[in-house]
Amino acid sequence: MKSSFKRSPTRLAFGLGAAGLVCSSAAWAQAPTALPLWEIGAVALGVSQQAYPGSDQNVGRGLALPFFIYRGQVLRADRGSLGVRAMKSPSFELDLGAAAAFGSNSEDISARQGMPNLGTLIELGPRLKWKLGSAPGGGTWRAEFPLRAVFDLSDDAAHRGWSFEPELAFERRAKGGWRYSTTLGLIVADQALAATFYQVTPELATLTRPAYTAQSGLLGWRLGTSFSRSLNPDWRMFGFARIDSVAGSANQNSPLVRQTTGASVGLGVAYTWMRSSERAGD
């Protein structure tokens, strides 16, 4: 697998897109009980990720950003939630979720030479979370069903389509302050979002990259794992590894798909500068 570590020209978009990942990782790294109502801190994170599902190249990113976490009963900015929590019961929760994917410069990706850059994408939309109960080893099972609109921060927040990303997660807190999570999910996209990654218009076709019309449907599969550990009350470390596959996907035959499976990894540390004495309600 080839790697590219050149910085994207859209630095502002990169920082904004990373904010959701930062808040989610920093929040997940903590114990689930008696959490502060709000926290302010900073995080340093290094990521090597597949340029897009099906690419044979990785792009590298390193950043340091502030983060803000708020755990209100209704207003939330915590663990991938952003905005309003509409409903919560012992088994179900409905909220507005957010996710982000870093952009990449097409000139750094051989399959996309001469094509538009892949911008930093941010996803916003409702998410249903379902607590499935206890799992082996003292862990818990959870299912999530996010439906999200996708916007390109590198292009004035232009709408790029819709995605549906159901996911099954296993979480476990072990001795010594370690926490682990394993997730298995899939991504279903409409034609507009699929075209962002896989369509080749006739004017951009070459001898080795024929024209291709992207199809809606299964975009890919994801298997991921993450870990975190509190080093002291203010410092935490966290990391993740993820495998993405386009096997059996609607656009597996696109000329932009160069390999079926690719990997992404990340490692970071978070520092909490200030926190409230008031505890969150849940």
Side-chain angles (χ1 to χ4, degrees):
M1 180 184 298
K2 301 177 183 178
S3 295
S4 171
F5 289 89
K6 296 183 180 179
R7 187 179 295 271
S8 167
T10 54
R11 297 185 185 181
L12 176 59
F14 166 67
L16 293 174
L21 173 63
V22 167
C23 286
S24 178
S25 299
W28 188 85
Q30 302 173 71
T33 59
L35 294 174
L37 178 63
W38 57 263
E39 296 180 63
I40 298 174
V43 66
L45 177 69
V47 176
S48 174
Q49 72 170 38
Q50 199 175 13
Y52 57 90
S55 173
D56 61 349
Q57 292 180 250
N58 274 32
V59 293
R61 295 290 186 266
L63 75 159
L65 284 177
F67 69 79
F68 175 69
I69 296 171
Y70 184 77
R71 304 183 180 94
Q73 291 288 341
V74 177
L75 298 177
R76 308 282 292 188
D78 179 32
R79 294 190 65 182
S81 300
L82 181 65
V84 177
R85 181 167 64 185
M87 180 271 290
K88 187 178 188 300
S89 72
S91 298
F92 295 95
E93 183 175 336
L94 180 64
D95 65 12
L96 177 66
F102 300 135
S104 55
N105 191 327
S106 290
E107 294 306 310
D108 298 333
I109 306 170
S110 59
R112 296 185 61 89
Q113 290 281 328
M115 297 187 69
N117 294 334
L118 291 174
T120 294
L121 302 179
I122 187 167
E123 306 174 6
L124 297 170
R127 174 181 59 174
L128 178 66
K129 295 191 287 187
W130 181 12
K131 297 179 181 178
L132 300 176
S134 300
T140 58
W141 292 106
R142 185 187 75 255
E144 296 190 1
F145 304 93
L147 176 64
R148 289 168 171 163
V150 183
F151 302 92
D152 188 343
L153 293 182
S154 308
D155 188 19
D156 298 325
H159 183 230
R160 292 292 187 238
W162 292 84
S163 70
F164 176 57
E165 305 178 22
E167 180 180 87
L168 177 65
F170 167 80
E171 292 183 347
R172 179 175 180 267
R173 187 155 59 110
K175 295 180 179 179
W178 289 94
R179 298 192 73 202
Y180 305 94
S181 175
T182 301
T183 59
L184 175 64
L186 56 87
I187 306 170
V188 179
D190 67 355
Q191 197 278 335
L193 183 57
T196 300
F197 297 106
Y198 301 114
Q199 186 149 301
V200 180
T201 58
E203 60 269 21
L204 295 176
T206 67
L207 292 177
T208 59
R209 187 176 64 205
Y212 177 82
T213 300
Q215 307 295 317
S216 62
L218 180 66
L219 198 71
W221 304 82
R222 283 180 174 172
L223 175 63
T225 184
S226 58
F227 71 89
S228 69
R229 187 179 188 276
S230 294
L231 305 176
N232 59 44
D234 296 327
W235 286 93
R236 299 179 300 277
M237 64 176 295
F238 59 89
F240 75 90
R242 189 181 74 215
I243 295 175
D244 291 85
S245 175
V246 296
S249 68
N251 296 283
Q252 186 175 356
N253 294 325
S254 167
L256 299 177
V257 173
R258 294 292 184 88
Q259 66 180 31
T260 302
T261 304
S264 301
V265 295
L267 184 65
V269 293
Y271 172 72
T272 300
W273 174 51
M274 297 176 63
R275 58 173 61 86
S276 67
S277 57
E278 183 179 358
R279 302 288 99 178
D282 60 348

